[in-house]
PDB file of all heavy atoms in Angstrom:
ATOM      1  N   GLY R  38      -4.769  10.089  -6.931  1.00  0.00           N
ATOM      2  CA  GLY R  38      -5.763   9.032  -7.133  1.00  0.00           C
ATOM      3  C   GLY R  38      -5.178   7.835  -7.848  1.00  0.00           C
ATOM      4  O   GLY R  38      -5.436   6.695  -7.476  1.00  0.00           O
ATOM      5  N   ILE R  39      -4.363   8.090  -8.865  1.00  0.00           N
ATOM      6  CA  ILE R  39      -3.719   6.992  -9.594  1.00  0.00           C
ATOM      7  C   ILE R  39      -2.784   6.226  -8.672  1.00  0.00           C
ATOM      8  O   ILE R  39      -2.771   4.987  -8.674  1.00  0.00           O
ATOM      9  CB  ILE R  39      -2.983   7.539 -10.830  1.00  0.00           C
ATOM     10  CG1 ILE R  39      -4.001   8.086 -11.836  1.00  0.00           C
ATOM     11  CG2 ILE R  39      -2.112   6.469 -11.475  1.00  0.00           C
ATOM     12  CD1 ILE R  39      -3.398   8.875 -12.969  1.00  0.00           C
ATOM     13  N   ALA R  40      -2.009   6.946  -7.868  1.00  0.00           N
ATOM     14  CA  ALA R  40      -1.111   6.278  -6.914  1.00  0.00           C
ATOM     15  C   ALA R  40      -1.914   5.475  -5.897  1.00  0.00           C
ATOM     16  O   ALA R  40      -1.512   4.377  -5.506  1.00  0.00           O
ATOM     17  CB  ALA R  40      -0.233   7.309  -6.213  1.00  0.00           C
ATOM     18  N   SER R  41      -3.042   6.002  -5.475  1.00  0.00           N
ATOM     19  CA  SER R  41      -3.876   5.296  -4.513  1.00  0.00           C
ATOM     20  C   SER R  41      -4.452   4.011  -5.101  1.00  0.00           C
ATOM     21  O   SER R  41      -4.501   2.981  -4.425  1.00  0.00           O
ATOM     22  CB  SER R  41      -5.005   6.209  -4.036  1.00  0.00           C
ATOM     23  OG  SER R  41      -5.773   5.580  -3.055  1.00  0.00           O
ATOM     24  N   PHE R  42      -4.868   4.042  -6.351  1.00  0.00           N
ATOM     25  CA  PHE R  42      -5.373   2.825  -7.001  1.00  0.00           C
ATOM     26  C   PHE R  42      -4.262   1.779  -7.148  1.00  0.00           C
ATOM     27  O   PHE R  42      -4.493   0.586  -6.989  1.00  0.00           O
ATOM     28  CB  PHE R  42      -5.970   3.138  -8.365  1.00  0.00           C
ATOM     29  CG  PHE R  42      -7.205   3.995  -8.304  1.00  0.00           C
ATOM     30  CD1 PHE R  42      -7.425   4.976  -9.250  1.00  0.00           C
ATOM     31  CD2 PHE R  42      -8.147   3.838  -7.301  1.00  0.00           C
ATOM     32  CE1 PHE R  42      -8.562   5.772  -9.205  1.00  0.00           C
ATOM     33  CE2 PHE R  42      -9.281   4.617  -7.244  1.00  0.00           C
ATOM     34  CZ  PHE R  42      -9.486   5.589  -8.199  1.00  0.00           C
ATOM     35  N   ARG R  43      -3.049   2.241  -7.446  1.00  0.00           N
ATOM     36  CA  ARG R  43      -1.919   1.331  -7.577  1.00  0.00           C
ATOM     37  C   ARG R  43      -1.617   0.655  -6.236  1.00  0.00           C
ATOM     38  O   ARG R  43      -1.394  -0.544  -6.166  1.00  0.00           O
ATOM     39  CB  ARG R  43      -0.704   2.116  -8.074  1.00  0.00           C
ATOM     40  CG  ARG R  43       0.462   1.275  -8.451  1.00  0.00           C
ATOM     41  CD  ARG R  43       1.575   2.125  -8.895  1.00  0.00           C
ATOM     42  NE  ARG R  43       1.568   3.270  -7.965  1.00  0.00           N
ATOM     43  CZ  ARG R  43       2.362   4.301  -8.032  1.00  0.00           C
ATOM     44  NH1 ARG R  43       3.225   4.381  -8.958  1.00  0.00           N
ATOM     45  NH2 ARG R  43       2.291   5.281  -7.168  1.00  0.00           N
ATOM     46  N   VAL R  44      -1.645   1.431  -5.163  1.00  0.00           N
ATOM     47  CA  VAL R  44      -1.393   0.872  -3.833  1.00  0.00           C
ATOM     48  C   VAL R  44      -2.556  -0.024  -3.403  1.00  0.00           C
ATOM     49  O   VAL R  44      -2.360  -1.000  -2.671  1.00  0.00           O
ATOM     50  CB  VAL R  44      -1.115   1.984  -2.808  1.00  0.00           C
ATOM     51  CG1 VAL R  44      -0.913   1.414  -1.422  1.00  0.00           C
ATOM     52  CG2 VAL R  44       0.107   2.782  -3.217  1.00  0.00           C
ATOM     53  N   ALA R  45      -3.763   0.278  -3.862  1.00  0.00           N
ATOM     54  CA  ALA R  45      -4.917  -0.572  -3.535  1.00  0.00           C
ATOM     55  C   ALA R  45      -4.725  -1.974  -4.090  1.00  0.00           C
ATOM     56  O   ALA R  45      -5.033  -2.964  -3.409  1.00  0.00           O
ATOM     57  CB  ALA R  45      -6.199   0.040  -4.081  1.00  0.00           C
ATOM     58  N   SER R  46      -4.187  -2.085  -5.303  1.00  0.00           N
ATOM     59  CA  SER R  46      -3.942  -3.419  -5.853  1.00  0.00           C
ATOM     60  C   SER R  46      -2.856  -4.143  -5.060  1.00  0.00           C
ATOM     61  O   SER R  46      -2.915  -5.350  -4.882  1.00  0.00           O
ATOM     62  CB  SER R  46      -3.563  -3.332  -7.326  1.00  0.00           C
ATOM     63  OG  SER R  46      -2.257  -2.808  -7.477  1.00  0.00           O
ATOM     64  N   TYR R  47      -1.876  -3.385  -4.569  1.00  0.00           N
ATOM     65  CA  TYR R  47      -0.820  -3.977  -3.745  1.00  0.00           C
ATOM     66  C   TYR R  47      -1.367  -4.394  -2.385  1.00  0.00           C
ATOM     67  O   TYR R  47      -1.005  -5.450  -1.864  1.00  0.00           O
ATOM     68  CB  TYR R  47       0.318  -2.967  -3.595  1.00  0.00           C
ATOM     69  CG  TYR R  47       1.517  -3.455  -2.830  1.00  0.00           C
ATOM     70  CD1 TYR R  47       2.121  -4.666  -3.130  1.00  0.00           C
ATOM     71  CD2 TYR R  47       2.066  -2.692  -1.816  1.00  0.00           C
ATOM     72  CE1 TYR R  47       3.239  -5.099  -2.443  1.00  0.00           C
ATOM     73  CE2 TYR R  47       3.174  -3.110  -1.119  1.00  0.00           C
ATOM     74  CZ  TYR R  47       3.759  -4.316  -1.436  1.00  0.00           C
ATOM     75  OH  TYR R  47       4.856  -4.747  -0.745  1.00  0.00           O
ATOM     76  N   ALA R  48      -2.235  -3.590  -1.801  1.00  0.00           N
ATOM     77  CA  ALA R  48      -2.827  -3.928  -0.502  1.00  0.00           C
ATOM     78  C   ALA R  48      -3.802  -5.098  -0.615  1.00  0.00           C
ATOM     79  O   ALA R  48      -4.056  -5.784   0.369  1.00  0.00           O
ATOM     80  CB  ALA R  48      -3.541  -2.713   0.088  1.00  0.00           C
ATOM     81  N   LEU R  49      -4.337  -5.320  -1.794  1.00  0.00           N
ATOM     82  CA  LEU R  49      -5.274  -6.421  -2.002  1.00  0.00           C
ATOM     83  C   LEU R  49      -4.550  -7.769  -2.091  1.00  0.00           C
ATOM     84  O   LEU R  49      -5.057  -8.783  -1.624  1.00  0.00           O
ATOM     85  CB  LEU R  49      -6.079  -6.170  -3.277  1.00  0.00           C
ATOM     86  CG  LEU R  49      -7.293  -7.021  -3.522  1.00  0.00           C
ATOM     87  CD1 LEU R  49      -8.323  -6.807  -2.438  1.00  0.00           C
ATOM     88  CD2 LEU R  49      -7.885  -6.694  -4.878  1.00  0.00           C
ATOM     89  N   TRP R  50      -3.350  -7.793  -2.670  1.00  0.00           N
ATOM     90  CA  TRP R  50      -2.625  -9.031  -2.943  1.00  0.00           C
ATOM     91  C   TRP R  50      -1.117  -8.770  -2.760  1.00  0.00           C
ATOM     92  O   TRP R  50      -0.376  -8.719  -3.727  1.00  0.00           O
ATOM     93  CB  TRP R  50      -2.932  -9.451  -4.382  1.00  0.00           C
ATOM     94  CG  TRP R  50      -2.805 -10.885  -4.702  1.00  0.00           C
ATOM     95  CD1 TRP R  50      -1.776 -11.481  -5.364  1.00  0.00           C
ATOM     96  CD2 TRP R  50      -3.731 -11.931  -4.407  1.00  0.00           C
ATOM     97  NE1 TRP R  50      -2.008 -12.810  -5.499  1.00  0.00           N
ATOM     98  CE2 TRP R  50      -3.198 -13.123  -4.925  1.00  0.00           C
ATOM     99  CE3 TRP R  50      -4.952 -11.976  -3.748  1.00  0.00           C
ATOM    100  CZ2 TRP R  50      -3.846 -14.346  -4.801  1.00  0.00           C
ATOM    101  CZ3 TRP R  50      -5.597 -13.185  -3.637  1.00  0.00           C
ATOM    102  CH2 TRP R  50      -5.058 -14.355  -4.164  1.00  0.00           C
ATOM    103  N   PRO R  51      -0.615  -8.604  -1.510  1.00  0.00           N
ATOM    104  CA  PRO R  51       0.750  -8.115  -1.307  1.00  0.00           C
ATOM    105  C   PRO R  51       1.864  -9.160  -1.371  1.00  0.00           C
ATOM    106  O   PRO R  51       2.997  -8.815  -1.691  1.00  0.00           O
ATOM    107  CB  PRO R  51       0.695  -7.517   0.100  1.00  0.00           C
ATOM    108  CG  PRO R  51      -0.295  -8.360   0.796  1.00  0.00           C
ATOM    109  CD  PRO R  51      -1.330  -8.698  -0.248  1.00  0.00           C
TER     110      PRO R  51
END
Side-chain angles (χ1 to χ4, degrees):
I39 293 169
S41 183
F42 294 142
R43 189 181 40 183
V44 178
S46 72
Y47 183 50
L49 193 63
W50 205 257

